[in-house]
């Protein structure tokens, strides 16, 4: 029965927490959750009880079964869904093409799911009830005391086919003088509910209003904790259930009470005076603290909800900050942002003391991953600048150093590399002076990224030692550690030291796997994919990128991994690559992530070129050259210049061929400054082909021999063969 199913859900949830292998245990866990084997499989999940990572885990289990059966996933009332779950469902919807899974969701009018515009998504609008069907509902609701025909007709007309409105109007009419109802019928469902609540005995009404503070569904023991008189509570609950305001549902941990409809809860809640509402929320929070003391972390969000609606601002801030950090740890960036914004609003209600200013800035500085993983660092930068006077007024070198580190991070995101380096140098100095070594590690790591943006790959690798030195004193966050290792790996790969670069990324990935952090594992995988693309192993790169996409828990993780896949596809299926890269180019452009705009622009130019769209390739690559030359991103400019040179190899007129030679020459000059030997080899191959087409066989042979030597020494894939093929076409002297 229901009680057994709830116990099974609890058992399955505990097993999932233990991290059991999804593929191996999927049939067992799905059986516990009531998902039957066979062709008519239906798993019904409620967003009121299943959130974020739990939802993701359950759906992944269901997808494991899609290899053998058609899966139907039904999720009701998604207009109430939390942000993290909505993001995951959008990602799930994107991946359903070609998979035997049907995702069915229900929502009220006005909610538009993010996947609605997909070609494989359809929306079915439920029609309002006909008058005949509405009349049947009215008659079924009051079988024992039929209503007057005129009143039935009035109810049908007033409800306009809304089933809940019909039912509530009918229940109201059945407990009053029918003529009175006919003369003064409420115009809205809220009005009907308010009138029904007002007719309750005062004690039962107060109980219902107290219950409304606890949410749509709540445990009986929590209601007992906040009610005026627990002795009379059973009588009040009997009356409320009889009047169909509440109903009981068995639960593994005791009785759960549920409002018949969320509108009933809302109307009861709105009927509370502000002071009583705040008092009830605080009493409820205190009861949660007492009952859940041993596993308080599980209740941070609920405690934040109750205290933030009470008069206890200090406690509200405490639990909102804890809920924020919990969401950050779980990569639930959208939820973390909601908690953080609520904290900021409450800080405005506190006295303007040094300690409150310090705590406010410290909370702000913890939000880097929140805004980064949503590609919202422009919004974060605005928050930083708005708080800069506060940060500078505190006279805390360590905190101010961390603040400048976050400002430099925003500069990195938007490609303002020199400004970013100035901030990070200042941040490192202040943090080391104050003994704030985690902040210093963040600053040195960001210097690595800023130098990588500029094409200073040797400096990128050198700075890893500085980041490691300060982390040995006070370890930085796991994400900062991963960033430092993986960007060193990326720089080594760009210089042609592929094995060393991959090993750096593997070390970072192992740390992410040990911490069960899919965001960190995802980033390491797609950076490994990029190193493999540099080597020329596009097929292996695509395997890594696809795994990264599967693991990526956030918008940014997915987008970065999709870029790596799309770039690999440029070497294998250019038209597919174009289709993947064009929306990514727009996405990173709208987010103002300058380096990614340049990087994706280079990959898109290459894909256009390989797909035969020379005009689009040249237009895109010229835009990259303009952007990267202005911001000093040498390697990105060199890549665009090389590809522009390749676009001119087949040109017929002398001026176009001369321009192509100029592009290649500029690329070589920049690449030599960067020390990027794989791209030097590719540029020499392009120059060799161009020289051969122009009849300059000696020059062609020189460039091609250089390309062959580099590509063989680095064990690049495909490039030695390309160089040899062109060399074989050079006429004998």
């Amino acid at each position: 029965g229901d009680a057994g199913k709830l116990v099974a859900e609890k058992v399955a949830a505990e097993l999932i927490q233990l991290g059991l292998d999804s593929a191996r245990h999927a049939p067992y866990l799905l059986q516990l959750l009531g998902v039957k084997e066979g062709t008519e499989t239906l798993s019904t999940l409620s967003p009121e009880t299943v959130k974020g990572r739990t939802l993701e885990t359950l759906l992944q289990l269901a997808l494991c079964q899609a290899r053998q059966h058609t899966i139907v996933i039904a999720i009701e009332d998604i207009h109430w869904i939390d942000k993290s779950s909505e993001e995951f469902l959008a990602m799930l919807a994107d991946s359903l093409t070609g998979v035997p899974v049907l995702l069915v969701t229900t929502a009220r009018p006005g909610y538009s799911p993010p996947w609605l515009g997909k070609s494989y998504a359809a929306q079915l609008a439920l029609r309002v009830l006909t008058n005949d069907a509405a009349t049947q509902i009215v008659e079924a609701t009051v079988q024992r005391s039929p209503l007057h025909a005129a009143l039935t007709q009035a109810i049908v007309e007033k409800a306009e086919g809304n089933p809940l409105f019909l039912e509530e109007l009918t229940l109201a009419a059945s407990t009053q003088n029918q003529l009175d109802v006919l003369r003064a019928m409420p115009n809205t469902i809220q009005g009907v509910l308010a009138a029904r609540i007002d007719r309750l005995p005062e004690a039962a009404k107060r109980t219902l209003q107290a219950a409304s503070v606890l949410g749509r569904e709540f445990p009986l023991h929590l209601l007992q904790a906040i009610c005026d008189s627990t002795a009379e509570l059973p009588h009040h609950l009997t009356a409320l259930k009889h009047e169909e305001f509440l109903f009981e549902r068995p639960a593994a941990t005791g009785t759960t009470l549920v409002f018949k409809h969320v509108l009933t809860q809302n109307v009861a809640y709105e009927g509370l005076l502000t002071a009583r509402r705040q008092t009830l929320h605080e009493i409820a929070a205190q009861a949660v603290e007492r009952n859940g003391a041993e596993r308080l972390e599980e209740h941070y969000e609920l405690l934040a909800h109750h205290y933030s609606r009470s008069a206890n601002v200090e406690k509200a801030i405490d639990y909102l900050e804890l809920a924020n950090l919990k969401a950050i740890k779980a990569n639930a960036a959208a939820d973390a942002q909601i908690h953080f914004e609520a904290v900021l609003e409450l800080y405005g209600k506190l006295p303007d003391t040094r300690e409150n200013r310090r705590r406010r800035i410290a909370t702000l500085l913890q939000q880097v991953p929140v805004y980064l993983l949503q590609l919202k660092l422009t919004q974060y930068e605005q928050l930083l600048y708005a708080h800069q006077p506060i940060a500078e007024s505190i006279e805390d070198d360590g905190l101010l150093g961390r603040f400048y580190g976050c400002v430099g991070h925003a500069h990195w995101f938007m490609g303002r590399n020199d400004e970013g380096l100035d901030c990070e140098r200042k941040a490192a100095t202040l943090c080391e002076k104050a003994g704030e070594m985690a902040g210093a590690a963040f600053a040195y790591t960001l210097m690595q990224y800023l130098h990588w943006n500029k094409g200073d790959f040797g400096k990128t690798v050198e700075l890893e030692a500085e980041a490691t030195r300060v982390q040995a004193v006070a370890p930085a966050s796991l994400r900062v550690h991963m960033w430092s290792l993986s960007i060193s790996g990326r720089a080594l790969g760009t210089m042609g030291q592929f094995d060393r670069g991959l090993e750096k990324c593997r070390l970072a990935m192992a740390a992410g796997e040990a911490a069960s952090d899919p965001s960190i594992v995802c980033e390491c995988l797609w950076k490994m994919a990029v190193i493999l693309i540099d080597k020329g192993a596009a097929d292996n790169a695509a395997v890594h990128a696809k795994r990264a996409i599967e693991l990526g828990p956030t918008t940014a993780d997915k987008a970065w991994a999709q870029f790596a896949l799309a770039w690999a596809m440029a070497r294998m299926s250019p038209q597919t690559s174009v289709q993947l890269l064009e929306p990514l180019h727009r996405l990173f452009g709208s987010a103002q992530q300058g380096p990614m705009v340049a990087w994706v622009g280079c990959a898109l130019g290459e894909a256009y070129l390989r797909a035969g769209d020379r005009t689009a390739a040249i237009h895109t690559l010229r835009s990259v050259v303009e952007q990267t030359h202005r911001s000093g991103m040498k390697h990105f400019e060199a890549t665009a210049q090389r590809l522009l040179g390749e676009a001119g190899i087949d040109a017929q007129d002398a001026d176009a061929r001369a321009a192509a030679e100029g592009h290649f020459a500029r690329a070589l000059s920049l690449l030599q400054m960067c020390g990027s030997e794989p791209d030097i080899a590719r540029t020499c191959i392009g120059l060799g082909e161009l020289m051969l087409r122009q009849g300059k066989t000696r020059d062609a042979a020189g460039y091609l021999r250089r390309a062959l030597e580099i590509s063989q020494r680095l064990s690049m894939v495909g490039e030695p063969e390309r160089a040899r093929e062109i060399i074989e076409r050079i006429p004998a002297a």
Side-chain angles (χ1 to χ4, degrees):
D2 288 340
K5 186 173 186 298
L6 287 163
V7 173
E9 288 177 355
K10 180 69 173 174
V11 172
E14 292 294 333
L15 291 172
I16 291 166
Q17 289 292 326
L18 293 173
L20 297 181
D21 178 69
S22 294
R24 188 155 56 92
H25 294 280
Y28 174 58
L29 293 178
L30 290 170
Q31 185 178 9
L32 281 174
L33 291 163
V35 181
K36 298 182 177 66
E37 294 288 345
T39 56
E40 296 182 359
T41 303
L42 176 63
S43 172
T44 304
L45 307 174
S46 165
E48 294 177 354
T49 56
V50 181
K51 284 191 171 185
R53 295 291 298 280
T54 305
L55 174 63
E56 179 176 355
T57 304
L58 293 175
L59 292 181
Q60 285 174 344
L61 290 173
L63 290 174
C64 288
Q65 296 297 282
R67 301 168 187 167
Q68 299 175 340
H69 307 296
T70 297
I71 299 295
V72 180
I73 302 170
I75 305 180
E76 299 182 277
D77 296 330
I78 61 169
H79 46 273
W80 302 120
I81 202 165
D82 63 285
K83 288 293 183 183
S84 295
S85 297
E86 183 182 60
E87 285 184 1
F88 173 73
L89 281 181
M91 293 175 187
L92 176 71
D94 284 340
S95 64
L96 289 183
T97 52
V99 181
V101 174
L102 174 63
L103 175 63
V104 181
T105 64
T106 66
R108 288 183 185 175
Y111 175 81
S112 179
W115 56 84
L116 196 56
K118 303 293 183 182
S119 60
Y120 46 84
Q123 184 178 40
L124 303 176
L126 296 182
R127 295 188 297 271
V128 298
L129 294 171
T130 64
N131 285 351
D132 287 344
T135 301
Q136 289 178 34
I137 287 180
V138 172
E139 292 173 350
T141 304
V142 289
Q143 289 179 357
R144 296 182 181 178
S145 53
L147 300 180
H148 190 277
L151 181 55
T152 298
Q153 182 62 30
I155 289 173
V156 168
E157 291 176 359
K158 178 70 71 174
E160 296 181 335
N162 183 308
L164 180 63
F165 202 176
L166 279 167
E167 191 173 356
E168 292 297 336
L169 277 171
T170 305
L171 287 171
S174 65
T175 58
Q176 299 179 73
N177 182 288
Q178 294 190 16
L179 290 177
D180 290 342
V181 173
L182 194 59
R183 284 194 293 267
M185 192 177 293
N187 292 319
T188 64
I189 180 63
Q190 289 85 352
V192 176
L193 289 167
R196 287 192 63 215
I197 291 170
D198 283 342
R199 285 194 297 275
L200 288 169
E202 186 60 29
K205 177 180 175 181
R206 285 176 65 83
T207 298
L208 186 68
Q209 289 176 327
S212 71
V213 169
L214 303 176
R216 171 78 186 279
E217 55 184 89
F218 49 89
L220 174 60
H221 68 80
L222 200 55
L223 180 60
Q224 290 169 334
I226 70 171
C227 275
D228 298 332
S229 172
T230 55
E232 296 299 316
L233 182 59
H235 302 295
H236 302 159
L237 289 177
T238 299
L240 292 171
K241 287 183 285 185
H242 178 74
E243 294 294 329
E244 298 188 28
F245 287 110
L246 298 173
F247 64 88
E248 282 188 13
R249 190 172 68 194
T253 55
T255 301
T256 292
L257 293 163
V258 184
F259 275 90
K260 179 182 175 182
H261 196 278
V262 71
L263 284 178
T264 308
Q265 179 216 343
N266 290 343
V267 171
Y269 187 78
E270 291 301 321
L272 283 166
L273 295 176
T274 301
R276 176 164 165 75
R277 186 185 300 172
Q278 290 178 333
T279 300
L280 287 169
H281 274 297
E282 184 158 6
I283 296 171
Q286 291 167 350
V288 173
E289 286 178 314
R290 288 193 304 273
N291 295 331
E294 294 181 359
R295 302 174 72 173
L296 203 59
E297 184 179 1
E298 295 179 8
H299 306 291
Y300 285 163
E301 298 87 352
L302 181 59
L303 288 163
H305 167 81
H306 283 306
Y307 274 122
S308 63
R309 286 158 180 76
S310 75
N312 194 333
V313 176
E314 288 282 359
K315 280 274 195 174
I317 289 175
D318 287 343
Y319 282 113
L320 282 166
E321 288 179 343
L322 288 168
N324 168 258
L325 291 175
K326 179 181 172 182
I328 291 173
K329 185 178 179 181
N331 295 308
D335 291 341
Q337 184 179 347
I338 290 169
H339 298 316
F340 169 63
E341 289 174 350
V343 167
L344 275 190
E345 185 176 345
L346 289 178
Y347 268 119
K349 299 179 180 180
L350 293 180
D352 185 23
T353 64
R354 180 179 182 276
E355 177 55 28
N356 285 339
R357 292 198 301 271
R358 191 204 65 75
R359 187 175 171 188
R360 177 175 185 150
I361 296 299
T363 302
L364 171 65
L365 301 183
Q366 292 172 327
Q367 308 309 309
V368 168
V370 173
Y371 289 87
L372 174 65
L373 294 178
Q374 297 181 89
L375 298 176
K376 291 182 177 180
L377 271 190
T378 51
Q379 184 177 337
Y380 186 52
E381 184 183 45
Q382 292 170 0
L383 284 168
L384 289 169
Y385 284 138
H387 285 79
Q388 187 163 346
I390 300 174
E392 292 174 343
S393 72
I394 297 170
E395 298 180 351
D396 181 329
D397 284 347
L399 197 65
L400 186 59
R402 289 173 54 206
F403 181 87
Y404 288 138
C406 291
V407 174
H409 184 266
H411 285 312
W412 157 77
F413 184 86
M414 283 166 267
R416 300 191 293 263
N417 304 304
D418 291 333
E419 295 95 323
L421 283 169
D422 286 343
C423 280
E424 297 304 343
R425 291 185 189 109
K426 190 185 302 184
T429 300
L430 286 167
C431 285
E432 290 213 56
K433 176 183 174 184
E436 176 60 64
M437 294 307 183
F442 180 74
Y444 285 122
T445 298
L446 261 295
M447 287 185 209
Q448 289 182 266
Y449 276 81
L450 288 155
H451 280 292
W452 189 86
N453 278 1
K454 289 168 68 70
D456 301 333
F457 303 129
K459 189 67 175 176
T460 299
V461 177
E462 279 179 34
L463 281 164
E464 184 197 336
E466 290 297 295
T468 302
R469 173 181 64 81
V470 294
Q471 286 190 65
V473 179
S477 73
L478 178 59
R479 187 174 293 276
V480 172
H481 175 64
M482 177 275 292
W483 281 342
S484 180
L485 280 174
S486 63
I487 197 61
S488 285
R490 177 72 188 94
L492 288 165
T494 310
M495 293 189 289
Q497 300 177 47
F498 306 120
D499 290 341
R500 283 186 65 199
L502 290 170
E503 184 57 28
K504 293 278 187 185
C505 291
R506 288 192 192 101
L507 285 171
M509 186 168 73
E513 288 174 333
S516 300
D517 191 322
S519 178
I520 287 176
V521 176
C522 168
E523 185 161 345
C524 293
L525 280 167
W526 73 255
K527 284 179 177 172
M528 291 168 71
V530 168
I531 293 171
L532 290 166
I533 292 169
D534 277 338
K535 185 174 182 176
D539 52 350
N540 196 4
V543 171
H544 283 71
K546 287 175 181 176
R547 187 178 166 212
I549 293 169
E550 291 172 1
L551 288 174
T554 68
T555 301
D557 287 316
K558 293 282 188 188
W560 293 327
Q562 285 166 348
F563 158 68
L565 175 62
W567 193 13
M569 294 302 293
R571 313 283 170 90
M572 299 184 292
S573 177
Q575 197 56 54
T576 301
S577 179
V578 168
Q579 293 170 359
L580 292 170
L581 286 167
E582 285 179 337
L584 287 174
H585 200 231
R586 291 191 293 271
L587 172 66
F588 291 121
S590 63
Q592 299 180 45
Q593 189 177 4
M596 284 305 299
V597 172
W599 204 356
V600 176
C602 289
L604 183 57
E606 180 177 353
Y608 281 138
L609 197 57
R610 290 175 181 267
D613 193 343
R614 185 172 174 273
T615 301
I618 291 172
H619 174 77
T620 301
L621 293 167
R622 283 176 177 168
S623 176
V624 173
V625 167
E626 181 182 349
Q627 174 200 353
T628 54
H629 183 74
R630 185 173 61 248
S631 56
M633 293 190 281
K634 296 188 289 291
H635 184 250
F636 291 136
E637 184 188 346
T639 302
Q641 294 280 13
R642 171 177 63 81
L643 291 167
L644 282 169
E646 291 181 9
I649 288 175
D650 294 327
Q652 299 300 314
D653 61 280
D655 288 343
R657 289 195 299 272
E661 188 173 347
H663 289 307
F664 280 128
R666 173 66 176 164
L668 267 183
S669 174
L670 291 168
L671 291 169
Q672 285 162 353
M673 285 189 275
C674 297
S676 177
E677 287 203 289
D679 283 309
I680 288 174
R682 292 187 179 91
T683 304
C684 286
I685 290 174
L687 259 172
E689 179 72 64
L690 181 64
M691 294 295 102
L692 181 59
R693 300 275 182 108
Q694 294 178 343
K696 301 175 182 179
T697 56
R698 181 177 297 179
D699 290 340
Y703 285 121
L704 291 165
R705 281 195 294 269
R706 184 181 180 190
L708 184 59
E709 184 278 323
I710 293 171
S711 58
Q712 285 181 321
R713 173 165 48 81
L714 300 180
S715 300
M716 294 175 69
V717 178
E719 302 306 335
E721 292 77 12
R722 283 181 62 207
R724 287 195 195 97
E725 187 275 325
I726 302 171
I727 288 172
E728 289 173 0
R729 290 194 273 118
I730 298 176

